[in-house]
Amino acid sequence: MALPVAFFALFFAWPVAAIVGRGLKTDGGWQFGRITDVVTQPDIRHVLWFTTWQALASTALTLLLALPAAHVFARLDFPGKRLLRAVVTVPFVLPTVVAGSAFLALVGRGGLLDELWGVRLDTTVWAILLAHVFFNYAVVVRTVGGLWAQLDPRQEEAARMLGASPFAAWRKVTLPALAPAVAAAALMVFLFTFTSFGVVQILGGPTFSTLEVEIYRQTSEVFDLSTAAVLTLVQFAAVGAILAVHAWTVRRRETALRLVDPGTTARRPRGVRQRALLGAVLATIALLLVLPLAVLVRRSLDAPGLGYYRALTNSDGGTFLVAPVHAVWTSLQYVAAATAIAVVIGGLAAAALARRDAGRLVRGFDALLMLPLGVSAVTVGFGFLIALDKPPLDLRQSWILVPLAQALVGAPFVVRTMLPVLRAVDGRLREAAAVLGASPWRVWREVDLPMVRRALLVAAGFAFAVSLGEFGATVFIARPDNPTLPVAVARLLSRPGDLNYGQAMALSTILMVVCALALLVLERLRTDRTGEF
């Protein structure tokens, strides 16, 4: 736990404390009375209420639509499965401003729905809810589906042989085993929607606002750092309470499971029900995920002769100090470092938390690991600039600052992905290896690692995806001569003109392609049948 604790203390707790202190502390001391003044304002209370209920509704809708897909990817084998799994993950890494604009093109004025049926959703909360499902669909599919694929299907088959209906067998046998993964996925979806920024900023307009949007408005538009600090504390407290409840409830329900090779659990669809389920899932993916991505690709091709893509190789000296295409190579370098950091930090934390003899202090750190997902990225970005500007940690001019910020968001995904599988490993296997004389390191290498190898690859894929699309904190710390892809897209979108907008769509398409290729490689490694356990 030493390295994870030090990492989160230096690069999360310290920057957040610095920015909050800057907002609430004056020459006359701490202004704690400011907290009451802010939270009692009617407009702030409305923001708090909307933030909470839309996050709950988005989480419920995402689980409703994505759990059938998790079952399909875990239990059914069909042509194009690897490609489709990568496609499902692509929306999750898109910068929110880009994906929000693409979704607006579907449901807004002059959008696809408006053209075909005269239906507009951009003035309703449904646009926000559906866009949140678009972003978080992959979280449920990969987190729940990863464990589902490793559950022994013979346990459910035994219940069927004893007279249970298919639904009863799933509810009484499979669902309790999946409960930790479902809870982890629901928690991540709730945190992302609770702190939603880009989607609400674009689709909500002046009507809807979340805490994250209000923090950004108070910081960048009103320049009221005091109110922004109070809202950050409110968001921090709410997320902390949710994580504490989650850690207590999930811990009570986790048990050792019998895990098998996921390559042996998938079967070709049989019967009308399985084929109908597969068709429904494919239709949902096509309409909810592929269609917005197709809109982005089409817009990037509006200029004749791939004009928007050719313009990426030129630097106008205004928006960028380098050609926009340079952001592709820069992002890959940053993401490689961020993924390595996240896997090491998250892997060590998951291994410590998975031990049955872990004390209360260690188990309490489980909830703290998720706090970076629930704290305003705007706050973290400003905190980096304020806290890490003096020796011995003066990192403002160092390239490592961006990977550190990206890893801070990626590490919780590594923990949440690996922890259910690590806790499901039968502790008697470790004890038997220790009795036979194996050292703790050899026990981990010979017992745990083969069981969690695929979960580790999935965790690395999540860390890669999150790091590639991280925008909230990176936009404040990325250097002008080394912008990441999301930062480059946002800068192009902020400038008027069809050429800038087209280049933004072209860079977004490149971002999708890079992510899809990386995820396809990951899928090939993940489904490698060598080294059966």
Side-chain angles (χ1 to χ4, degrees):
M1 292 297 298
L3 190 58
V5 168
F7 178 81
F8 280 92
L10 288 176
F11 302 113
F12 173 68
W14 187 14
V16 171
I19 191 67
V20 171
R22 182 69 65 90
L24 292 182
K25 189 176 182 180
T26 63
D27 294 337
W30 290 93
Q31 304 297 318
F32 291 111
R34 180 64 177 158
I35 298 177
T36 304
D37 296 337
V38 172
V39 298
T40 55
Q41 297 176 13
D43 55 337
I44 297 298
R45 285 190 295 177
H46 177 74
V47 169
L48 291 172
W49 167 245
F50 175 76
T51 301
T52 303
W53 84 257
Q54 66 83 23
L56 291 172
S58 298
T59 302
L61 187 60
T62 303
L63 290 175
L64 179 65
L65 295 177
L67 281 178
H71 169 76
V72 165
F73 280 106
R75 293 300 194 219
L76 300 183
D77 188 19
F78 53 91
K81 182 177 177 179
R82 293 180 182 176
L83 176 62
L84 191 63
R85 197 194 303 267
V87 170
V88 165
T89 310
V90 169
F92 186 69
V93 305
L94 287 179
T96 53
V97 291
V98 177
S101 299
F103 217 86
L104 186 64
L106 295 179
V107 302
R109 175 181 297 178
L112 186 61
L113 294 183
D114 192 15
E115 292 179 359
L116 295 179
W117 299 292
V119 176
R120 289 182 55 193
L121 299 177
D122 58 319
T123 57
T124 69
V125 73
W126 280 105
I128 296 175
L129 298 182
L130 292 175
H132 283 162
V133 177
F134 170 82
F135 277 111
N136 297 294
Y137 196 87
V139 175
V140 178
V141 170
R142 286 190 166 266
T143 303
V144 179
L147 180 60
W148 204 336
Q150 291 184 268
L151 295 181
D152 193 343
R154 292 175 294 183
Q155 299 178 12
E156 189 172 327
E157 294 170 359
R160 294 284 306 277
M161 292 180 63
L162 293 174
S165 64
F167 178 75
W170 176 81
R171 181 172 58 87
K172 295 183 178 182
V173 177
T174 304
L175 183 58
L178 289 175
V182 173
L187 173 68
M188 287 188 284
V189 173
F190 181 85
L191 288 179
F192 277 121
T193 53
F194 189 82
T195 59
S196 181
F197 174 65
V199 169
V200 180
Q201 181 81 349
I202 293 175
L203 299 178
T207 306
F208 303 108
S209 178
T210 59
L211 271 174
E212 187 82 0
V213 175
E214 190 63 21
I215 291 172
Y216 177 80
R217 190 180 75 85
Q218 294 291 337
T219 303
S220 302
E221 298 177 9
V222 184
F223 303 106
D224 188 350
L225 195 58
S226 175
T227 299
V230 171
L231 295 179
T232 297
L233 288 177
V234 171
Q235 184 169 298
F236 189 88
V239 172
I242 294 167
L243 293 175
V245 173
H246 166 80
W248 180 72
T249 55
V250 172
R251 181 74 182 183
R252 288 167 59 91
R253 303 187 65 177
E254 285 178 332
T255 57
L257 304 175
R258 181 177 181 181
L259 303 181
V260 298
D261 182 3
T264 64
T265 60
R267 297 287 187 271
R268 289 284 184 177
R270 293 177 294 181
V272 177
R273 289 182 179 180
Q274 289 188 351
R275 292 188 177 93
L277 178 62
L278 177 59
V281 169
L282 293 178
T284 301
I285 293 175
L287 293 176
L288 190 61
L289 305 185
V290 177
L291 193 57
L293 299 180
V295 171
L296 291 181
V297 175
R298 183 187 65 81
R299 289 185 174 181
S300 72
L301 298 174
D302 283 346
L306 300 177
Y308 292 145
Y309 288 92
R310 288 188 285 107
L312 294 177
T313 60
N314 301 322
S315 176
D316 59 6
T319 306
F320 304 102
L321 299 179
V322 294
V325 73
H326 181 73
V328 178
W329 174 240
T330 300
S331 287
L332 291 178
Q333 289 178 304
Y334 285 155
V335 167
T339 302
I341 296 172
V343 168
V344 171
I345 297 298
L348 289 174
L353 293 169
R355 294 183 61 89
R356 298 292 174 180
D357 57 349
R360 290 185 179 181
L361 183 61
V362 174
R363 291 197 301 267
F365 191 65
D366 186 8
L368 297 179
L369 289 171
M370 297 298 292
L371 284 178
L373 302 181
V375 172
S376 169
V378 175
T379 301
V380 175
F382 271 120
F384 265 50
L385 297 179
I386 293 175
L388 304 179
D389 63 341
K390 298 178 181 178
L393 282 177
D394 186 0
L395 302 178
R396 287 179 303 174
Q397 302 300 321
S398 175
W399 67 272
I400 197 63
L401 196 62
V402 173
L404 286 174
Q406 294 172 335
L408 192 64
V409 181
F413 280 90
V414 176
V415 176
R416 293 264 65 88
T417 304
M418 293 185 62
L419 195 54
V421 179
L422 279 170
R423 284 179 173 167
V425 176
D426 194 339
R428 292 174 296 182
L429 297 176
R430 302 187 184 101
E431 295 171 1
V435 169
L436 293 175
S439 64
W441 164 247
R442 188 174 181 183
V443 170
W444 162 255
R445 181 167 52 88
E446 301 290 343
V447 177
D448 291 80
L449 185 58
M451 299 288 283
V452 303
R453 181 180 54 196
R454 289 180 175 87
L456 183 62
L457 291 174
V458 174
F462 259 132
F464 177 90
V466 174
S467 300
L468 191 62
E470 204 286 322
F471 171 73
T474 307
V475 68
F476 295 103
I477 57 180
R479 296 170 58 179
D481 57 340
N482 283 304
T484 63
L485 274 171
V487 171
V489 170
R491 289 180 182 173
L492 288 169
L493 285 175
S494 66
R495 301 190 67 186
D498 292 338
L499 179 61
N500 288 318
Y501 187 81
Q503 289 184 88
M505 296 301 102
L507 272 183
S508 299
T509 303
I510 293 174
L511 177 60
M512 288 189 292
V513 172
V514 170
C515 177
L517 291 176
L519 293 172
L520 282 174
V521 173
L522 177 67
E523 286 302 312
R524 182 173 295 277
L525 294 174
R526 183 177 179 270
T527 55
D528 184 8
R529 302 281 181 89
T530 61
E532 307 275 347
F533 47 76

